[in-house]
Amino acid sequence: MTNHDLSLTLETSDQWIRQRTGIMRRRIAAEDQSASTLAIPAGAAAIKEAGLVPEAVGLVIVASISPDQIMPATASRVAYALGAENAGAVDLSAGCSGFIYALAMATGLVESGIQEHVLVVGAEAISRILDWEDRSTAVLFGDAAGAVVVSATYGPNRILGLDMGNDGSGADLLQIPAGGSRLPATHATVDDGLHYLKMNGREVYRFATRVVPRSAAQILEHCGFSTSEVDLMVPHQANTRIIQAVARRLGIAWERVFTNLDEYGNTSCASIPLCLMEARARGLVYQGCRILLLGFGAGLSWGSCLLRWGDPVGVTTI
Ligand code: ACO
């Protein structure tokens, strides 16, 4: 769906969307698709690339702000469809930071020896929770899924450090007001559009540009690396201006920042794995490469991860 397509039904323009966000187009899931049906092929591809069979996976974590249902977990359908019959399955809700949080959980389980291989999927059918008459949100988001496998290793390529934070005073700034136990679904909540994503964009913008560089600097200091030693920064793809501000504050050159939100919009929990996949296909993610992942979103939550990429044995980077 292009910006021009949106301008046919909303009072907006290609110019406004490009200038304010950097987005040119986004993908919209077909009617018979949902977060799980997008997650399944992403998960299958990650397991295959890792050189594993689905039975080797011990846990499937799906991070999403647009899960199939409140219950059961989307991960349950995903694990079943993948044939991951020895795996537990759980969903994770941490706004657009969900992928980093899921990575953190997977890392902890693998490092503690509880699991050997954890499949982490970020999957979104955000188009289903958008108010298509609200131009302040409808133009921003897109549907996608991406996945990685976190595996035990004794080599130097590993998750080097993680930082997570949350400021619940901003919980109302980015939310779906109804549909949970706080405000259960009624005719009135449907009539009032309270099952759609609501956002105070300006405040979220301020929060992201303040908190994300701080978290990134903390994790780099904790791991003993300088920004010049970061080979690739992969931020959550919310807005080009936010990403530019974060890179500027950290002193990371634009050539070392990966973005693809022009093509996909903000795909929430899917944005970071989607970037990793594309960056890897372009040769920007390689054995030993130091990558800084930065997430932020509803909560208001944030999470940073520094890792040294390790290709699975037998798989070469394109
Ligand atoms: N087309 C045209 N005009 C628009 C549109 C649109 N799609 N949307 C808003 N406007 C108008 C507004 O009505 C306003 O008009 P006014 O000045 O007459 O009142 C004007 O444009 C400026 O609106 P702002 O909201 O101030 O625009 P801003 O420059 O802040 O950009 C944006 C808005 C893009 C949403 C920005 O604030 C932003 O990116 N915020 C961060 C959002 C974000 O990161 N969200 C994801 C978090 S991740 C998660 O957990 C889901």
Side-chain angles (χ1 to χ4, degrees), residues 12 16 20 96 135 174 199 201-202 236 238-239 241 266 297-298:
T12 190
W16 192 96
R20 302 279 177 136
C96 296
R135 68 178 182 173
L174 185 45
M199 180 174 70
R202 209 173 277 182
H236 168 48
N239 182 312
R241 289 187 299 151
N266 178 348

Side-chain angles (χ1 to χ4, degrees), residues 227-274:
T227 45
S228 62
E229 291 171 289
V230 173
D231 296 309
L232 192 68
M233 174 175 127
V234 179
H236 168 48
Q237 306 284 300
N239 182 312
T240 304
R241 289 187 299 151
I242 294 179
I243 298 172
Q244 284 168 339
V246 170
R248 214 170 28 241
R249 278 184 201 180
L250 284 170
I252 295 185
W254 192 244
E255 304 81 70
R256 287 187 283 130
V257 178
F258 193 86
T259 63
N260 62 8
L261 84 168
D262 52 333
E263 285 297 318
Y264 302 103
N266 178 348
T267 60
S268 188
C269 293
S271 82
I272 290 175
L274 199 59

Side-chain angles (χ1 to χ4, degrees), residues 196-240:
Y196 294 129
L197 182 150
K198 312 276 183 201
M199 180 174 70
N200 180 331
R202 209 173 277 182
E203 287 305 317
V204 175
Y205 190 100
R206 283 206 190 108
F207 149 77
T209 49
R210 180 171 46 86
V211 160
V212 178
R214 198 178 64 201
S215 172
Q218 267 168 11
I219 200 68
L220 284 167
E221 192 188 337
H222 175 78
C223 296
F225 287 100
S226 68
T227 45
S228 62
E229 291 171 289
V230 173
D231 296 309
L232 192 68
M233 174 175 127
V234 179
H236 168 48
Q237 306 284 300
N239 182 312
T240 304

Side-chain angles (χ1 to χ4, degrees), residues 167-182:
D167 177 3
S169 71
D172 292 341
L173 295 174
L174 185 45
Q175 61 168 328
I176 298 172
S181 58
R182 194 165 180 259

Side-chain angles (χ1 to χ4, degrees), residues 65-89:
I65 65 162
S66 53
D68 279 16
Q69 298 161 263
I70 287 186
M71 75 165 198
T74 302
S76 179
R77 296 187 195 280
V78 173
Y80 179 70
L82 289 173
E85 56 193 45
N86 299 314

Side-chain angles (χ1 to χ4, degrees), residues 36 65-66 93-95 108 112-113 126 140 145 149 234 239 289 305:
S36 69
I65 65 162
S66 53
S93 166
S112 65
I126 306 183
L140 302 176
V149 175
V234 179
N239 182 312
C289 151
C305 173

